[in-house]
Amino acid sequence: APYSHTNITSHTASLISPVHPTHSHQSNNTMSSKTKRMSADEKRQTILKIYHGNKEVYTEKEIVALASKAGVNVNTIPDINQSLIDDNLVCKEKIGGSNYFWSFPSKKDRQAQLAHESTLASIESLQSIIKDASVKLENAKRGREEDDSGERAKKMARRDELSKAKTAAENELSKLKENDPQAIADLEMELKLVTAAANRWTDNIFSCRDWLVKKRGMGRKEAEKLLQITDAFDYPEDKGAK
């Protein structure tokens, strides 16, 4: 049908009217605003859902394609997938020249069960330790209860005072004994007794060594080794003389 003047005018006007990109720009903004940036944990959960959804075995290329389609940044997928492998949530097996990946919900459930059992065992062990410590604490407190009058605290303070006084008196007595003739004489007598006892035991050890050499046919070095002595072993007085 031939165009009328009105149709031609309208068609011409539509051709020469300016195009406003406002609608297209708004659409792009709307689409970008709907795209959510995933956290690392969200990416992990998204990839796990892919594995658990179909319960199939995937190649690396397949899991990258599926995860990318699900909204995970394609550059982060290999690292996220590896983190799941490191946490034993995803299994990996190399067959030929390709790597294959899979994960089943039961694996995650089993890990959660093992972690739960380990936690319960730790709690039980800690409860036992706490119980033993409580018993020891109660035993330690027994007989040390504070009475209303505070008598025990007074006695403990008095005990500390007496203990300090005793230590001071002993120190003073020790200084006085340094010049006490009787104390010096006592020390000399004690030294003689100790020396005599040491000489007797030295005699006994030498006798044992000679018996091992003469009666058992041991060499002198062997006998001394058995008795745990050396060539330096001798009478205390002889050592002093040397």
Side-chain angles (χ1 to χ4, degrees):
Y3 284 102
S4 64
H5 177 72
T6 304
N7 289 337
I8 293 173
T9 303
S10 175
H11 179 67
T12 304
S14 65
L15 291 174
I16 63 175
S17 61
V19 178
H20 298 284
T22 305
H23 178 70
S24 176
H25 181 67
Q26 289 176 346
S27 298
N28 290 335
N29 287 340
T30 303
M31 290 178 64
S32 61
S33 63
K34 290 181 179 179
T35 303
K36 182 182 178 183
R37 189 172 184 178
M38 290 187 180
S39 65
D41 186 62
E42 288 172 332
K43 292 175 184 177
R44 285 164 59 91
Q45 294 303 321
T46 300
I47 294 176
L48 273 180
K49 283 182 181 178
I50 295 172
Y51 283 116
H52 296 168
N54 297 327
K55 301 177 184 177
E56 294 181 359
V57 178
Y58 299 99
T59 64
E60 186 171 11
K61 185 176 180 181
E62 289 171 339
I63 198 64
V64 168
L66 291 171
S68 176
K69 186 176 180 181
V72 181
N73 187 309
V74 68
N75 295 325
T76 64
I77 294 172
D79 290 338
I80 297 296
N81 196 49
Q82 184 60 47
S83 73
L84 293 171
I85 296 170
D86 295 339
D87 292 342
N88 293 320
L89 294 174
V90 172
C91 297
K92 174 184 175 182
E93 187 70 33
K94 186 176 181 65
I95 303 176
S98 301
N99 292 320
Y100 293 88
F101 307 89
W102 69 92
S103 176
F104 303 124
S106 58
K107 181 177 179 67
K108 187 176 180 181
D109 294 341
R110 178 56 180 163
Q111 284 186 323
Q113 181 183 356
L114 291 174
H116 179 64
E117 291 174 356
S118 176
T119 302
L120 289 179
S122 298
I123 292 173
E124 186 176 353
S125 176
L126 289 173
Q127 286 177 338
S128 177
I129 293 173
I130 292 171
K131 184 178 180 180
D132 291 342
S134 299
V135 171
K136 291 179 180 178
L137 179 61
E138 289 301 321
N139 291 336
K141 286 181 177 179
R142 191 171 294 116
R144 301 183 182 181
E145 297 84 357
E146 186 62 75
D147 52 21
D148 295 337
S149 63
E151 191 64 27
R152 183 176 182 277
K154 294 177 183 178
K155 290 180 179 179
M156 291 300 295
R158 179 58 179 162
R159 177 182 177 278
D160 290 340
E161 291 177 6
L162 293 174
S163 178
K164 292 177 182 179
K166 177 177 177 290
T167 301
E170 288 175 344
N171 292 335
E172 184 66 22
L173 180 61
S174 177
K175 293 178 182 179
L176 294 174
K177 281 184 177 180
E178 292 178 358
N179 300 319
D180 184 3
Q182 184 59 47
I184 294 174
D186 292 341
L187 286 174
E188 290 177 348
M189 179 60 68
E190 185 176 352
L191 179 60
K192 289 179 181 180
L193 293 173
V194 171
T195 302
N199 287 333
R200 284 196 302 273
W201 279 104
T202 303
D203 285 336
N204 293 335
I205 293 172
F206 280 147
S207 296
C208 289
R209 183 191 65 184
D210 294 341
W211 184 84
L212 291 171
V213 171
K214 294 176 182 179
K215 300 296 184 180
R216 301 302 296 265
M218 288 187 179
R220 179 172 174 172
K221 294 288 186 183
E222 185 181 3
E224 289 178 349
K225 183 177 181 181
L226 180 64
L227 295 171
Q228 298 182 0
I229 61 175
T230 64
D231 291 337
F233 182 76
D234 206 344
Y235 293 96
E237 290 180 345
D238 292 343
K239 284 187 176 181
K242 293 175 183 178

